[in-house]
Amino acid sequence: MMANLSQSQSGTRPGLFLDRDGTLIEEKHYLSRPEDVELLPTVGETIARMNSLGIPVAVVTNQAGIARGYFPESQVAKVHARLDELLAEFGARIDRYEYCPHHPVEGLGDYRIDCDCRKPKPGMLTRSAAALQIDLPRSLMVGDRMGDLEAGANAGCHSSLVRTGYGSSISIDFDHESLRFLGAFQTLKEAVETWLDL
Ligand SMILES: [Mg+2]
Ligand SMILES: [Zn+2]
């Protein structure tokens, strides 16, 4: 796949989609305070490597704590600014953040909608792909829950699980007919290396 990077057709390229909580940073149950952001091992170096390879990186995160009224939507930008700060220490950069503030049942007011972005729906991935000229079939979604893997499948990407966050204890359900599952990995680095070697 790497050989194709410089020869991509029609201006598209493979991209990396990353869940946030439990995948990039410690899972802290509706995290909303910047001071609670803690990077997981290998995340900084792995994203820096993607940056140097010219592979766009998009964070796609369900934030139903907003819909549920646990924290205001304005906290999300503060958390992402803190994440950017921690990644900068590794020379690493996220190209795009997408979050879903909705919940179809538990949401308050306007946040209670059956949106197209809440994973396992693929809306955040397809929007990022359009914005960053990403070729979905060559791309990878990494997360710590089945909903992440399914979102990757629903977008037509490969999917990999990390055994951090909820991923340390879940069993994998292979029932999704279009799941292109690459495996369960202890770190983001291992998940990404397996994909780059395809
Ligand atoms: Mg997660
Ligand atoms: Zn949504």
Side-chain angles (χ1 to χ4, degrees), residues 44-119:
E45 65 188 80
T46 302
I47 293 176
R49 177 144 178 251
M50 297 298 98
N51 297 154
S52 65
L53 289 171
I55 297 176
V57 178
V59 170
V60 293
T61 175
N62 284 357
Q63 291 298 322
I66 299 165
R68 293 169 183 268
Y70 295 165
F71 54 88
E73 192 163 350
S74 53
Q75 286 303 112
V76 175
K78 295 176 190 168
V79 167
H80 293 171
R82 178 61 182 150
L83 178 51
D84 285 342
E85 210 171 72
L86 294 173
L87 288 172
E89 294 171 18
F90 293 84
R93 171 195 86 244
I94 301 292
D95 294 296
R96 186 180 177 87
Y97 285 98
E98 289 264 356
Y99 65 92
C100 168
H102 310 115
H103 194 283
V105 180
E106 305 291 331
L108 304 174
D110 291 345
Y111 290 119
R112 189 173 67 216
I113 60 164
D114 190 15
C115 63
D116 72 349
C117 44
R118 181 174 163 78
K119 294 175 289 186

Side-chain angles (χ1 to χ4, degrees), residues 11-192:
T12 64
R13 50 195 176 159
L16 179 62
F17 301 103
L18 299 170
D19 171 53
R20 192 190 80 186
D21 301 326
T23 301
L24 298 185
I25 63 177
E26 294 280 359
E27 165 60 50
K28 295 200 178 167
H29 198 65
Y30 296 113
L31 178 146
S32 65
R33 302 188 311 166
E35 57 269 36
D36 291 337
V37 174
E38 280 183 69
L39 275 189
L40 287 166
T42 78
V43 164
E45 65 188 80
T46 302
I47 293 176
R49 177 144 178 251
M50 297 298 98
N51 297 154
S52 65
L53 289 171
I55 297 176
V57 178
V59 170
V60 293
T61 175
N62 284 357
Q63 291 298 322
I66 299 165
R68 293 169 183 268
Y70 295 165
F71 54 88
E73 192 163 350
S74 53
Q75 286 303 112
V76 175
K78 295 176 190 168
V79 167
H80 293 171
R82 178 61 182 150
L83 178 51
D84 285 342
E85 210 171 72
L86 294 173
L87 288 172
E89 294 171 18
F90 293 84
R93 171 195 86 244
I94 301 292
D95 294 296
R96 186 180 177 87
Y97 285 98
E98 289 264 356
Y99 65 92
C100 168
H102 310 115
H103 194 283
V105 180
E106 305 291 331
L108 304 174
D110 291 345
Y111 290 119
R112 189 173 67 216
I113 60 164
D114 190 15
C115 63
D116 72 349
C117 44
R118 181 174 163 78
K119 294 175 289 186
K121 291 188 178 171
M124 294 190 285
L125 287 76
T126 53
R127 268 204 295 277
S128 298
L132 299 170
Q133 291 86 49
I134 290 173
D135 182 25
L136 286 164
R138 287 194 291 158
S139 298
L140 174 67
M141 169 78 212
V142 184
D144 67 323
R145 304 182 93 165
M146 273 311 296
D148 298 314
L149 308 186
E150 288 169 1
N154 289 331
C157 304
H158 300 277
S159 293
S160 293
L161 186 84
V162 278
R163 292 280 186 205
T164 46
Y166 291 104
S168 60
S169 55
I170 67 165
S171 57
I172 298 156
D173 170 7
F174 284 94
D175 230 14
H176 196 295
E177 58 182 14
S178 53
L179 194 59
R180 295 162 70 206
F181 183 62
L182 299 184
F185 301 91
Q186 295 304 318
T187 62
L188 180 64
K189 183 178 183 204
E190 292 169 72
V192 165

